[in-house]
């Protein structure tokens, strides 16, 4: 199982409380880049931060840390009690924080979490006060690790950061240029990657239109913004279709999808999660999103996707997946338990006896044999091609 230790956060908190006295004061960014780890809103590593609050994340300032900071005023750079400034002598300078930048991008409702991370990393390159390529890449790697630690259960966040690092730093020409032009090249590549990722949904929506025909019935499960983009474009193209939405308990994501479809005047029916097999006879295709696409060509998505794919496969209904390429992850789960747990609190609306165990898993794994095609910004792919595309992405 892929399980990463949550001790990363504790180590970084200890580092802030007991900084080194080695005299290396050149980069104020490296001193405070990891403050985002202390802002992780996910103290319980078993509960996915995705299903918790999206409010601002505030670090904890201790009295010991304040005492050290006051003692160091005028002697060397040290973090102040402002959390976002560095005091050099009598002059205060605002320090770039990758988590703050990430949260600012996340405020845009249509921006995916992975794309927000990519945008934040692009800002890191512009803000780093480095003098060599090696120093710049080290600081960029620290910022990437900080973002990935924000929610260790998020597959798309981790994959997006890893792909960004590969794409931005993958060029041999940097070895032969001066530092200023090399940094400019990195910024250019970072901005390009951000634009490619941001446009991914529109590309997927266009590629998928040939598979939506007049009079078809589409079953969707979960609230996926890329799936919603596909359906919106089909409606804009005056295609006649109807949508079945699963209720999606406990988050009731189906209610959100049905509301969006009603706004577009698309015929929509809300069904119980347990009524999928009952209504499958009326369905022409299943269309779902994905939290992550793994090396086998299977997907990790909101829980319930696997059972829907099983029912559709048994009744010869195609299952289509709409997923951006930055969700392609170097993972190879063998079964449902072979994943980093992503749990969520569940409210049944009635008291549950303490002796009753409640399943709180937020996602499941659907093997590739139950999927028909994947609509991606790289093209329309069969599940067997995903491994080849992953090789190309990570080369």
């Amino acid at each position: 199982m892929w399980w990463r230790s949550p001790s990363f956060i504790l180590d970084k908190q200890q580092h802030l409380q007991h900084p080194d006295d080695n005299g290396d004061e050149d980069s104020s960014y490296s001193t405070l880049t990891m403050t985002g780890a202390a802002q992780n809103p996910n103290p319980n590593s078993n509960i996915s931060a995705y299903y918790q609050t999206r409010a601002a994340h505030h670090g904890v300032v201790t009295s010991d840390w304040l005492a050290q900071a006051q003692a160091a005023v005028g002697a060397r750079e040290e973090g102040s009690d402002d959390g976002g400034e560095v005091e050099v002598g009598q002059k205060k300078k605002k320090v770039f924080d990758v988590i703050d930048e990430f949260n600012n991008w996340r405020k845009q409702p249509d921006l995916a979490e992975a794309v927000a991370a990519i945008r934040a990393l692009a800002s890191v390159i512009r803000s780093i006060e480095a003098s060599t390529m090696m120093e710049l890449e080290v600081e960029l790697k620290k910022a990437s690790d900080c973002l990935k630690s924000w929610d260790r259960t998020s597959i798309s966040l981790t994959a997006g950061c890893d792909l960004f690092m590969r794409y931005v730093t993958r060029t041999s020409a940097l070895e032969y240029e001066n530092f200023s032009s090399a940094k400019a090249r990195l910024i250019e590549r970072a901005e390009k990657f951000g634009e490619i990722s941001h446009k991914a949904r529109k590309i997927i929506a266009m590629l998928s239109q040939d598979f939506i025909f007049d009079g078809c019935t589409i079953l969707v499960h979960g609230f996926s913004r890329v799936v919603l983009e596909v359906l919106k474009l089909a409606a804009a193209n005056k295609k006649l279709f109807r949508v079945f939405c699963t209720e999606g308990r406990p988050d009731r994501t189906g209610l959100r999808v049905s509301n969006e479809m009603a706004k577009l005047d698309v015929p929509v029916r809300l069904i119980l999660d347990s009524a999928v097999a009952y209504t499958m006879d009326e369905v022409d295709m299943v269309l779902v999103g994905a939290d992550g696409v793994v090396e086998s060509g299977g997907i990790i998505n909101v829980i319930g996707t696997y059972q829907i794919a099983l029912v559709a496969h048994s009744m010869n209904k195609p299952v289509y997946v709409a997923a951006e390429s930055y969700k392609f992850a170097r993972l190879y789960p063998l079964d449902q338990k072979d994943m980093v747990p992503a749990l969520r609190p569940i409210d049944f609306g009635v008291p549950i006896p303490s002796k009753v165990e409640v399943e709180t898993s937020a996602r499941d794994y659907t093997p590739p044999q139950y999927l028909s095609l994947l609509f991606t910004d790289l093209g329309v792919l069969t599940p067997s091609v995903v491994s080849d595309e992953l090789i190309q992405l990570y080369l």
Side-chain angles (χ1 to χ4, degrees):
M1 296 180 67
W2 300 283
W3 185 260
R4 305 179 210 171
S5 172
S7 60
F8 176 90
I9 300 172
L10 296 178
D11 292 342
K12 293 307 173 184
Q13 289 176 340
Q14 292 172 1
H15 173 73
L16 291 176
Q17 294 174 1
H18 305 287
D20 295 334
D21 290 327
N22 55 9
D24 185 7
E25 324 297 344
D26 294 335
S27 177
S28 62
Y29 176 81
S30 60
T31 306
L32 290 181
T33 297
M34 293 306 151
T35 57
Q39 296 174 327
N40 194 327
N42 192 13
N44 185 348
S45 59
N46 287 329
I47 303 295
S48 174
Y50 179 81
Y51 296 101
Q52 297 186 53
T53 177
R54 295 173 66 91
H57 315 294
H58 303 282
V60 178
V61 181
T62 64
S63 58
D64 291 340
W65 189 89
L66 289 174
Q68 293 176 8
Q70 292 171 356
V73 169
R76 62 187 180 93
E77 292 186 6
E78 189 69 12
S80 70
D81 59 340
D82 296 322
E85 295 181 345
V86 167
E87 189 167 328
V88 185
Q90 300 297 322
K91 184 178 180 180
K92 288 186 177 181
K93 182 177 69 173
K94 186 70 176 179
V95 175
F96 180 87
D97 190 294
V98 66
I99 295 297
D100 288 343
E101 183 71 12
F102 172 60
N103 287 327
N104 287 335
W105 282 107
R106 286 174 65 236
K107 292 176 182 178
Q108 301 183 20
D110 293 331
L111 200 66
E113 190 174 72
V115 178
I118 290 168
R119 297 291 197 184
L121 289 174
S123 299
V124 168
I125 300 177
R126 290 191 295 267
S127 304
I128 290 178
E129 297 179 359
S131 57
T132 65
M133 278 301 301
M134 179 61 70
E135 184 181 359
L136 190 149
E137 290 190 17
V138 167
E139 297 300 336
L140 188 59
K141 179 65 165 59
K142 288 180 181 179
S144 175
D145 291 341
C146 182
L147 284 174
K148 289 191 288 186
S149 71
W150 181 82
D151 184 2
R152 297 182 184 275
T153 66
S154 176
I155 298 173
S156 62
L157 180 62
T158 299
C161 290
D162 289 343
L163 284 171
F164 177 89
M165 294 294 297
R166 293 294 300 165
Y167 183 85
V168 170
T169 61
R170 184 177 58 188
T171 172
S172 59
L174 296 179
E175 300 175 6
Y176 309 102
E177 300 175 356
N178 59 58
F179 176 72
S180 297
S181 59
K183 183 176 180 179
R185 177 71 62 86
L186 284 182
I187 294 174
E188 178 184 346
R189 291 177 66 86
E191 295 292 345
K192 182 179 179 181
F193 188 75
E195 287 300 319
I196 292 173
S197 302
H198 185 62
K199 294 177 181 178
R201 285 186 204 149
K202 293 183 179 179
I203 296 174
I204 294 170
M206 290 187 292
L207 291 174
S208 62
Q209 294 306 300
D210 290 340
F211 297 86
I212 301 177
F213 52 89
D214 284 338
C216 70
T217 298
I218 305 172
L219 174 65
V220 299
H221 177 65
F223 184 85
S224 168
R225 284 173 287 194
V226 65
V227 169
L228 191 59
E229 189 72 23
V230 170
L231 298 177
K232 284 183 176 179
L233 183 58
N237 291 337
K238 306 300 182 182
K239 292 194 175 184
L240 303 177
F241 63 96
R242 61 175 179 166
V243 176
F244 287 179
C245 302
T246 56
E247 183 186 6
R249 286 183 63 85
D251 300 329
R252 297 184 177 180
T253 52
L255 293 175
R256 298 173 62 190
V257 177
S258 61
N259 289 338
E260 294 293 334
M261 292 297 99
K263 293 177 183 178
L264 299 173
D265 292 327
V266 173
V268 59
R269 180 190 299 179
L270 192 63
I271 66 174
L272 297 175
D273 294 331
S274 54
V276 169
Y278 176 79
T279 57
M280 190 61 72
D281 274 337
E282 303 178 58
V283 172
D284 294 298
M285 69 186 74
V286 177
L287 180 59
V288 296
D291 288 345
V293 180
V294 298
E295 292 185 54
S296 64
I299 63 169
I300 298 172
N301 195 35
V302 61
I303 198 160
T305 304
Y306 181 33
Q307 63 188 19
I308 292 175
L310 284 173
V311 173
H313 181 76
S314 67
M315 301 179 71
N316 295 319
K317 307 291 185 178
V319 179
Y320 300 136
V321 179
E324 303 91 329
S325 60
Y326 56 74
K327 292 181 178 179
F328 284 28
R330 302 181 70 178
L331 301 175
Y332 204 108
L334 301 177
D335 54 36
Q336 300 299 323
K337 307 300 180 183
D338 201 11
M339 300 182 293
V340 176
L343 310 179
R344 59 184 169 188
I346 296 179
D347 182 12
F348 287 97
V350 294
I352 303 297
S354 58
K355 295 182 179 180
V356 175
E357 183 179 356
V358 177
E359 177 59 61
T360 57
S361 296
R363 62 192 183 198
D364 56 27
Y365 165 61
T366 304
Q369 61 265 31
Y370 302 112
L371 306 176
S372 303
L373 291 172
L374 290 90
F375 303 146
T376 76
D377 49 301
L378 303 177
V380 180
L381 311 177
T382 61
S384 59
V385 179
V386 170
S387 58
D388 295 332
E389 292 296 335
L390 270 167
I391 292 173
Q392 295 298 322
L393 285 172
Y394 282 95
L395 274 179

